[in-house]
Amino acid sequence: MSTQPIAIAPDLPNTAAVWFLVGQLGPAGNNGEQAHVPINTAHFTVGRRADASLCLPYRTVSSSHAELITTDHTLTLEDFGSTNGTYVNGERLQGSIELKQDDLVQFADVALRVRRQATEGSTATLKEDEALALVQFDKLMGERQVTPYYQPIIDLTSGETIGYEVLGRSRLFGIETPSAMFRAAAKLNVEVQLSNMLRWEGILQSSSFARPPHLFVNTHPREMCEDGLIESLRDIRNLRPTQAITLEIHEGSITDIERMMALREALTDIDVRLAYDDFGSGQARLLELIKVQPDYLKFDIALIRNIDQASSQQQQLVSTLVYMVRDLGVMSLAEGVETKGEADVCSELGFELGQGFFFGKPAPGTCF
């Protein structure tokens, strides 16, 4: 199904919130195009006419169907006496109504969800490049247009590659990097869905390797407090029953020991290993490290950068942490190694594994 372009007005109201319509741009039940439409003008019209702010070119939609009106902190919907009606949460609208976050609005048989993005200042506006990024993000999620990149993880003793970390990339303007993707995802409250998709695509597209590689896949902090992570990993394991997989969890996300113990047990059941990422970037969670031991501990780049030029006291501190970790039976990994000097000192300090531009930059699977 094709849709006409969405007309976006150039001027935005000075409000403390930005509103969106999120859903399928097509009749209910059809596999329409997923959209995130910013309501970026004070009088945002909806209808079949080509000059409507949101053009819905379907016979069930009236030429001038309805209007969304934005004022400070509010969004009001008014029906224009449309033939097939405007509905809010299943009830036909008579006149106008103030909308709230997550209300379901239906123009004839086109249903869209109301989303609200709060901003810090009362005069903040949504820039056109941000709106474009959200439209591109919709395309990213709907068409799974991500290109997994793989960065080698090296055994510092043998120099052999023991695995690869999966890093997401895209060719869509404005959301080429993981940070840009997750900024857009945060506006729409779909960080968990994006994180899950990046893992899946990283696993699926690793088939380009000559042999199935050991993959280190990432999580988003929100996945630590929501259900569904283990179920998604179990599905991945069923798809790739023999592939070596390690799940990376940011050190700062490890706050609930009981939940981590349950996660660790579930990972063991499906033969997925565990890594704590960015160790030392903030509060080093030593208690969690002892009670819920990972298989790998990735030392943050801040501890590794210029380690060859650091004082003997700093090097001794890092070495003490490394050997403490090794005594627990956990593999130590130095992240962000960029020079030969850093690599040599990391080996001297006892690190077993290394990762960084010195060993290899992230690249598509076809490059390996």
Side-chain angles (χ1 to χ4, degrees):
M1 184 197 72
S2 62
T3 61
Q4 296 183 13
I6 299 169
I8 299 178
D11 297 323
L12 301 173
N14 290 331
T15 64
V18 175
W19 299 88
F20 292 84
L21 295 175
V22 180
Q24 302 289 326
L25 280 182
N30 283 8
N31 186 23
E33 180 186 352
Q34 182 75 16
H36 306 283
V37 183
I39 302 170
N40 55 359
T41 181
H43 293 270
F44 188 90
T45 57
V46 180
R48 200 171 65 246
R49 291 174 47 170
D51 61 351
S53 303
L54 174 58
C55 176
L56 299 174
Y58 308 105
R59 289 180 296 176
T60 55
V61 176
S62 297
S63 296
S64 295
H65 197 102
E67 182 179 53
L68 292 151
I69 303 168
T70 54
T71 60
D72 288 349
H73 305 285
T74 66
L75 177 67
T76 302
L77 174 62
E78 180 179 353
D79 182 73
F80 283 168
S82 59
T83 301
N84 294 303
T86 299
Y87 297 81
V88 177
N89 299 324
E91 295 186 6
R92 185 159 185 166
L93 176 62
Q94 303 293 336
S96 63
I97 188 173
E98 183 178 329
L99 298 176
K100 303 183 298 296
Q101 165 87 335
D102 292 329
D103 277 347
L104 183 65
V105 175
Q106 191 171 332
F107 306 103
D109 52 4
V110 181
L112 299 167
R113 185 74 66 179
V114 175
R115 299 292 191 197
R116 178 180 183 271
Q117 173 208 346
T119 58
E120 294 180 359
S122 61
T123 59
T125 59
L126 181 68
K127 298 179 180 178
E128 289 187 11
D129 58 348
E130 293 176 332
L132 175 60
L134 288 173
V135 173
Q136 294 285 68
F137 181 77
D138 163 55
K139 187 177 182 68
L140 176 90
M141 295 296 290
E143 301 179 12
R144 304 180 75 87
Q145 288 201 23
V146 294
T147 303
Y149 274 44
Y150 304 88
Q151 186 171 33
I153 295 173
I154 306 299
D155 184 308
L156 293 181
T157 300
S158 66
E160 295 180 356
T161 299
I162 64 96
Y164 298 85
E165 181 178 356
V166 178
L167 302 167
R169 299 289 188 273
S170 89
R171 295 186 176 89
L172 298 175
F173 178 77
I175 52 171
E176 296 90 344
T177 64
S179 59
M181 292 181 206
F182 278 101
R183 280 197 301 271
K187 294 179 185 298
L188 302 168
N189 199 33
V190 291
E191 301 100 310
V192 170
Q193 292 90 324
L194 173 60
S195 181
N196 187 37
M197 185 182 73
L198 292 176
R199 281 195 299 273
W200 267 97
E201 292 302 314
I203 297 288
L204 292 174
Q205 296 188 38
S206 69
S207 58
S208 59
F209 285 78
R211 291 183 297 177
H214 177 185
L215 295 182
F216 287 65
V217 295
N218 287 285
T219 57
H220 187 273
R222 283 189 55 185
E223 293 182 274
M224 295 300 100
C225 54
E226 295 186 11
D227 296 329
L229 177 59
I230 284 297
E231 287 73 13
S232 71
L233 291 168
R234 188 174 290 115
D235 290 340
I236 288 175
R237 173 52 74 210
N238 291 336
L239 178 69
R240 296 291 174 84
T242 61
Q243 186 161 15
I245 300 172
T246 293
L247 182 73
E248 294 193 18
I249 296 175
H250 190 278
E251 182 228 29
S253 303
I254 308 167
T255 57
D256 187 330
I257 292 181
E258 290 188 2
R259 192 177 184 92
M260 283 302 305
M261 291 176 68
L263 174 63
R264 177 60 165 160
E265 182 178 355
L267 291 176
T268 301
D269 288 343
I270 59 174
D271 192 27
V272 172
R273 282 167 264 186
L274 177 64
Y276 292 162
D277 193 15
D278 294 332
F279 179 75
S281 62
Q283 177 183 355
R285 301 186 181 278
L286 300 178
L287 180 61
E288 289 85 345
L289 175 62
I290 294 172
K291 288 196 172 184
V292 189
Q293 294 183 16
D295 299 285
Y296 304 91
L297 189 67
K298 303 183 76 172
F299 281 64
D300 186 69
I301 187 174
L303 294 174
I304 307 304
R305 184 181 292 114
N306 299 321
I307 189 67
D308 54 323
Q309 303 171 33
S311 66
S312 58
Q313 292 89 345
Q314 182 177 339
Q315 291 185 3
Q316 181 60 48
L317 172 62
V318 173
S319 179
T320 299
L321 290 172
V322 168
Y323 279 97
M324 179 192 72
V325 167
R326 293 182 63 169
D327 287 345
L328 292 173
V330 178
M331 297 278 284
S332 58
L333 188 155
E335 283 192 290
V337 179
E338 297 188 351
T339 67
K340 185 178 186 303
E342 290 174 350
D344 290 342
V345 170
C346 283
S347 293
E348 294 170 6
L349 296 180
F351 280 101
E352 297 160 281
L353 305 174
Q355 179 182 355
F357 283 7
F358 177 71
F359 303 114
K361 295 183 178 180
T366 53
C367 297
F368 297 99

